[in-house]
């Protein structure tokens, strides 16, 4: 009937004790002790409709209700136990396109803030809509700025390849050519930091579709670009996220790996980094983990619609893992959300962290710690 006043204590301290007890398989003994010790704080302000609905091994009906809340997740609990289904698109982070556009800080396109050390880019491969890309600059503590983003072909309504309009190429040929053209374009863009050209450190290319073609194109592009590293990249949902065949030291929910028979690849937890991107647009300018955009608000309508192309409906900790429930928003695309997510993960690969402690990479045993540094050209 009425929720407890200190829900943060329930979510953080109580739920941690619940998960710890489940892992120890103590049949609720430790959790009952915790509840009794903190009952005054846990129960303050709370009211339940049926005080006698107490499951075996639990102390009160409130504890039963809250255990169901954590076990089932917020959305299921409201629907099944409260008879109050949440709105179909209840958004945990409440991010809307207008809020994304407010991140514009008036800087010129291609201008990199003086305190940024890293520059990354990620390309999403989608024949039906083209190759989208996002470029991100960052400090050591992930104060992020987007100096440019775009699409190939440039016309936002033009696909890369369709069966009805092949351009005389197979789909594989069209993707290969587009990857080469897009990486060449990114290498030719002139990003300026303090009067010098700053080159993109690493370009990731989504290899979730036509993987063999993307790996081949990345190998060619990597040889073509002397100033930037080009790598295939693969995002995984949280339920599929496992670290395996790690090369060097893992980053934050991202790491270098090897695909058998294909070569090096960067893997990242797309659920985790998608949430980080949405959070970034809710933070103030200059905040660690926050993001700003070049130019004025009015130029970012296309970008902002993509960033808000998905909404986080649920995110909670289960006994075994974290659970994310992202849903597509009808009528919106999400390609630039995917590229921004990938570019953020690559910043972590290069060493940037939310606490500002530069993560040093060790690629092989015995090598001295190294971090990829940005490269510059006098102009």
């Amino acid at each position: 009937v009425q929720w407890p006043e200190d829900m943060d204590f329930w979510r953080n301290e109580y739920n941690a004790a619940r998960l710890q007890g489940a892992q120890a398989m103590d049949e609720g003994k430790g959790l009952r002790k915790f509840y009794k010790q903190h009952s005054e704080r846990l129960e303050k302000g709370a009211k339940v409709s049926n005080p006698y609905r107490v499951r075996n091994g639990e102390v009160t009906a409130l504890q039963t209700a809250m255990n169901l809340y954590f076990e089932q997740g917020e959305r299921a609990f409201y629907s099944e136990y409260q008879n109050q289904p949440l709105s179909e698109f209840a958004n945990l982070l409440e991010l809307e396109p207008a809020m994304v556009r407010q991140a514009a800080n008036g800087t010129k396109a291609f201008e990199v803030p003086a305190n940024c050390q890293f520059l990354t880019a990620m390309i999403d491969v989608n024949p039906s809509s083209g190759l989208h890309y996002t470029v991100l600059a960052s400090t050591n503590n992930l104060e992020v700025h987007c100096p440019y983003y775009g699409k190939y072909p440039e016309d936002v309504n033009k696909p890369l390849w369709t069966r009805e309009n092949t351009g005389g190429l197979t789909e594989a040929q069209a993707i290969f050519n587009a990857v080469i053209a897009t990486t060449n374009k990114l290498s030719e863009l002139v990003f300026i930091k303090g009067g010098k050209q700053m080159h993109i450190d690493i370009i990731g290319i989504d290899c979730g579709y036509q993987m063999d073609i993307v790996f081949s194109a990345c190998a060619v592009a990597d040889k073509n670009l002397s100033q930037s590293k080009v790598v295939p990249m693969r995002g995984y949902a949280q339920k599929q996220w496992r670290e395996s065949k790690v090369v060097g030291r893992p980053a934050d929910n991202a790491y270098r790996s090897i695909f058998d028979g294909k070569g090096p690849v960067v893997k990242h937890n797309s659920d985790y980094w998608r949430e980080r991107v949405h959070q970034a647009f809710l933070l103030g300018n200059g905040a660690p983990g926050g993001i700003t955009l070049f130019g004025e608000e009015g130029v970012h309508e296309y970008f902002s619609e993509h960033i808000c192309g998905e909404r986080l409906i649920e995110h909670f900790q289960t006994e075994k893992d974290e659970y994310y429930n992202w849903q597509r928003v009808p009528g919106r695309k999400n390609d630039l959300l995917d590229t921004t997510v990938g570019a953020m993960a690559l910043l972590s690969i290069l060493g940037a962290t939310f606490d500002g402690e530069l993560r040093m990479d060790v690629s092989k045993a015995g090598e001295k710690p190294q971090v990829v540094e940005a490269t510059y050209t006098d102009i």
Side-chain angles (χ1 to χ4, degrees):
V1 178
Q2 187 170 306
W3 290 88
E5 289 184 9
D6 197 347
M7 283 297 292
D8 286 341
F9 187 77
W10 275 98
R11 291 189 181 100
N12 299 325
E13 305 300 325
Y14 177 88
N15 196 39
R18 186 183 70 85
L19 295 174
Q20 184 178 1
Q23 186 174 6
M25 295 184 291
D26 67 353
E27 298 180 345
K29 181 178 179 180
L31 192 58
R32 286 193 296 273
K33 181 179 179 181
F34 181 92
Y35 185 93
K36 292 175 181 178
Q37 287 177 339
H38 301 281
S39 60
E40 182 176 350
R41 185 173 182 180
L42 291 167
E43 294 172 358
K44 186 177 180 181
K47 294 180 181 179
V48 296
S49 59
N50 183 357
Y52 301 103
R53 188 175 182 182
V54 184
R55 296 191 303 191
N56 291 337
E58 294 169 340
V59 181
T60 67
L62 176 63
Q63 185 188 18
T64 294
M66 294 304 296
N67 281 346
L68 287 167
Y69 173 83
F70 290 117
E71 292 165 8
Q72 302 294 323
E74 184 180 53
R75 190 173 183 83
F77 181 85
Y78 267 95
S79 178
E80 300 298 328
Y81 297 98
Q82 295 290 90
N83 197 26
Q84 297 174 358
L86 296 176
S87 169
E88 182 180 1
F89 286 110
N91 185 2
L92 294 184
L93 297 177
E94 298 296 339
L95 183 67
E96 296 296 339
M99 301 167 71
V100 173
R101 296 193 290 270
Q102 288 172 3
N105 63 3
T107 57
K108 295 180 181 179
F110 312 113
E111 184 176 312
V112 176
N115 60 342
C116 287
Q117 288 80 34
F118 308 112
L119 196 61
T120 66
M122 199 275 186
I123 302 171
D124 181 64
V125 177
N126 187 342
S128 65
S129 61
L131 272 63
H132 288 78
Y133 54 87
T134 301
V135 181
L136 294 181
S138 176
T139 64
N140 289 341
N141 64 347
L142 281 170
E143 293 175 34
V144 180
H145 176 70
C146 174
Y148 195 66
Y149 56 82
K151 175 186 175 293
Y152 179 91
E154 291 187 5
D155 184 345
V156 296
N157 296 312
K158 186 176 181 180
L160 174 66
W161 184 92
T162 64
R163 295 185 183 277
E164 296 74 28
N165 186 10
T166 66
L169 301 174
T170 66
E171 183 184 52
Q173 290 169 337
I175 290 173
F176 184 95
N177 290 349
V179 169
I180 301 303
T182 307
T183 52
N184 284 343
K185 177 178 180 178
L186 286 172
S187 71
E188 293 167 359
L189 296 176
V190 180
F191 296 94
I192 302 297
K193 171 187 167 180
K196 293 184 178 182
Q197 181 177 1
M198 185 176 185
H199 301 282
I200 298 174
D201 297 303
I202 185 169
I203 302 172
I205 303 175
D206 172 38
C207 65
Y209 183 72
Q210 289 276 18
M211 184 176 291
D212 289 340
I213 300 302
V214 172
F215 266 83
S216 297
C218 284
V220 172
D222 190 52
K223 291 180 181 179
N224 289 344
L225 308 187
S226 60
Q227 302 285 358
S228 304
K229 181 69 178 174
V230 181
V231 295
M233 197 167 184
R234 183 72 188 273
Y236 295 86
Q238 175 67 43
K239 62 183 179 181
Q240 301 171 322
W241 178 249
R242 300 289 183 275
E243 289 188 2
S244 62
K245 298 183 180 179
V246 178
V247 177
R249 181 176 175 179
D252 185 5
N253 281 268
Y255 64 97
R256 295 181 176 91
S257 186
I258 299 288
F259 275 173
D260 292 340
K262 294 181 174 62
V265 65
V266 171
K267 299 179 180 180
H268 67 286
N269 182 335
S270 57
D271 281 336
Y272 171 87
W273 282 105
R274 191 179 295 115
E275 183 179 28
R276 288 294 194 179
V277 166
H278 273 209
Q279 289 172 339
F281 284 104
L282 294 171
L283 295 170
N285 289 0
I291 188 169
T292 54
L293 298 173
F294 68 91
E296 305 297 332
E297 293 184 25
V299 304
H300 297 298
E301 185 171 349
Y302 182 76
F303 179 84
S304 65
E305 289 288 327
H306 277 242
I307 293 296
C308 297
E310 297 185 49
R311 286 178 174 168
L312 181 59
I313 307 302
E314 294 175 293
H315 176 204
F316 56 87
Q317 181 73 44
T318 68
E319 294 181 4
K320 294 183 178 180
D321 204 352
E322 286 187 89
Y323 174 79
Y324 290 85
N325 179 10
W326 288 91
Q327 290 190 6
R328 289 289 302 272
V329 178
R332 291 179 185 168
K333 297 180 179 180
N334 66 343
D335 303 275
L336 286 169
L337 173 60
D338 290 341
T339 59
T340 306
V341 165
M344 283 276 280
L346 287 173
L347 291 171
S348 180
I349 287 289
L350 294 185
T353 62
F354 289 102
D355 59 11
E357 293 294 327
L358 193 63
R359 183 194 62 80
M360 307 303 284
D361 175 63
V362 181
S363 297
K364 297 179 181 178
E367 284 189 356
K368 293 182 179 180
Q370 295 180 347
V371 64
V372 180
E373 293 290 353
T375 52
Y376 302 89
T377 300
D378 288 325
I379 59 172

